[in-house]
Amino acid sequence: MFVLCVFTLSTVAALASSTQPHIVFILADDLGWNDVGYHGSVIKTPTIDTLASEGVRLENYYVQPVCSPTRSQLLTGRYQIHTGLQHSIIWMSTPLCLPEGEVLIPQKLKEVGYSTHLIGKWHVGHYKKYCLPHNRGFDTFFGFYQAFSDYYYHNSTNGAHSAWDLRRDDLLVADEYMGQYSTYMYTGESIDIISKHDRNKPMFLMFSHQAVHVPLQVPSSYADLYKDVISDERRRTYAGMVSSLDESIYYVVQALKDNDMWQNTVLIFSSDNGGAPTEGASNWPLRGAKASFYEGGVRAVGFVHSPLLPPSLRGTINKELIHVSDWFPTILHLAQGSVGNLDLDGFDQWKVISENEKTVRREILYNIDPLYFHPMVRKGVEFLDNGYFDITTQAALRVDNWKILTGRPGKGNWVPPPESGLDTIEDDTMKQELIHLYDIGDDPFETVNLAHSRPDKVEELLARLQQYNITAVPCSFPKEDVKGSDPTLGDGGWGPWM
């Protein structure tokens, strides 16, 4: 004990950093379930396929149906009902962001000696300076604030305003990169960060890709890879964007290897939500898409790859229930940090991934949105007067293999990729049904609504939804401040205005 007591803090920090891994989190935007090679796609993703096949594939892994909610839960480890961001996304002129009191993963990582970097998309608010990445724990930021941006001109528009949206920390730099394709640009930035990094210090790099979100833009050489297999132009361009994304990941991995960091790196890959078939993506054979609570909107492509994984687990498929909110405590475990007294909804899943343990997670609350409800409800609708939960409210919950959807869960079509030659199966229940109940274990494609045959299970899950609802904080979704957010009132780019 005496020997330990005389160690200096710097000695302890040095010992910790020698075993702390570098953590690289790659977040793809709007990547469909059926848009990676290892899920049977015609889209070429050799890097993703190799990393997944030599790592641990997460095949029961879930995110949120749209951008801001997934990012907020990844960064805080907390459900939307506990941060006030239950409704929609954060629009360009909305005076809203992750609440100032929320602790973000880069802040906790800095406490244990990590350098922290964010490249690409932010999209959890920017209306005040405290909302910005470099004020929320990231040492460096190179990217954009909004949901989307032009891949070459780096500007975003919301109808009222069109302005540049590319910054290095808080400095507007879009004019310096005019004409450079975003995926190339961000990949170059990641290589630069890696090559300059002090290898004796642990690094957290969050590469939040712009790809493959709209607008559909890619150098023609990538789209041309599919000219003989995909006739649909949007799908072909989208496929090219996925291949460019895959190539980017190759260069990031190569940079880690070239700088002798790879052997001590944990790489996590995830999509932020399901793909949008109207914009070239495919979630087939899952039902639904981006912006819906069906599996096609929330079941995500995900895997973990690391030389630190036990050889016996490399190349395995993990089917334990994992949610995007779990990355906060899982990453902190890897970093030898502590969640302290934070009230998290996520669970540490590292032993589930690296030791094949059973998960303690039995439930996922996808959301309860008090501002989005079914407007046309007649008296006499089954379960309307259930005594537990207002079923006109949009909500989604998973308990073990049971999944319940209330209100309007989003469009529930089954949409095959155009190159398959199959027809879309239209959803004909969305307007009539207020309750959807599925056994995801037996029916992963959500073809049979069991609500009418299992009223006991419906009531059980409605009661559980209400238990969650009691813990919800008020939903924050202020009216857009179109006048105040005018970028011409500032430096000409999207940025804080209050």
Side-chain angles (χ1 to χ4, degrees), residues 14-28:
L15 288 171
S17 65
S18 66
T19 57
Q20 292 167 299
H22 307 299
I23 302 169
V24 177
F25 196 108
I26 298 178
L27 187 64

Side-chain angles (χ1 to χ4, degrees), residues 15-150:
L15 288 171
S17 65
S18 66
T19 57
Q20 292 167 299
H22 307 299
I23 302 169
V24 177
F25 196 108
I26 298 178
L27 187 64
D29 200 336
D30 288 6
L31 180 68
W33 174 262
N34 187 39
D35 294 331
V36 292
Y38 70 80
H39 279 165
S41 178
V42 300
I43 298 177
K44 297 176 173 62
T45 55
T47 302
I48 289 173
D49 295 347
T50 298
L51 291 172
S53 69
E54 297 174 356
V56 177
R57 281 170 48 182
L58 308 178
E59 294 293 293
N60 197 14
Y61 169 57
Y62 289 87
V63 293
Q64 298 305 110
V66 283
C67 321
S68 299
T70 288
R71 285 164 175 76
S72 73
Q73 297 193 44
L74 166 63
L75 289 166
T76 67
R78 285 159 54 79
Y79 289 148
Q80 293 162 254
I81 64 165
H82 296 143
T83 60
L85 302 179
Q86 295 97 311
H87 186 65
S88 189
I89 64 171
I90 298 176
W91 299 98
M92 296 184 187
S93 295
T94 304
L96 181 66
C97 73
L98 274 172
E100 191 170 10
E102 294 292 335
V103 177
L104 274 57
I105 185 67
Q107 293 170 301
K108 296 297 292 182
L109 290 173
K110 285 176 68 67
E111 291 178 3
V112 290
Y114 274 74
S115 63
T116 57
H117 309 276
L118 173 63
I119 298 172
K121 181 172 174 175
W122 178 235
H123 203 204
V124 286
H126 64 278
Y127 81 109
K128 287 187 175 182
K129 287 187 176 181
Y130 80 77
C131 304
L132 305 181
H134 60 285
N135 293 325
R136 303 303 294 266
F138 285 104
D139 293 327
T140 69
F141 168 65
F142 180 63
F144 61 108
Y145 295 148
Q146 308 291 13
F148 62 90
S149 179
D150 188 279

Side-chain angles (χ1 to χ4, degrees), residues 238-252:
Y238 171 91
M241 295 170 73
V242 176
S243 287
S244 177
L245 165 70
D246 185 81
E247 181 183 74
S248 166
I249 298 170
Y250 169 83
Y251 285 120
V252 171

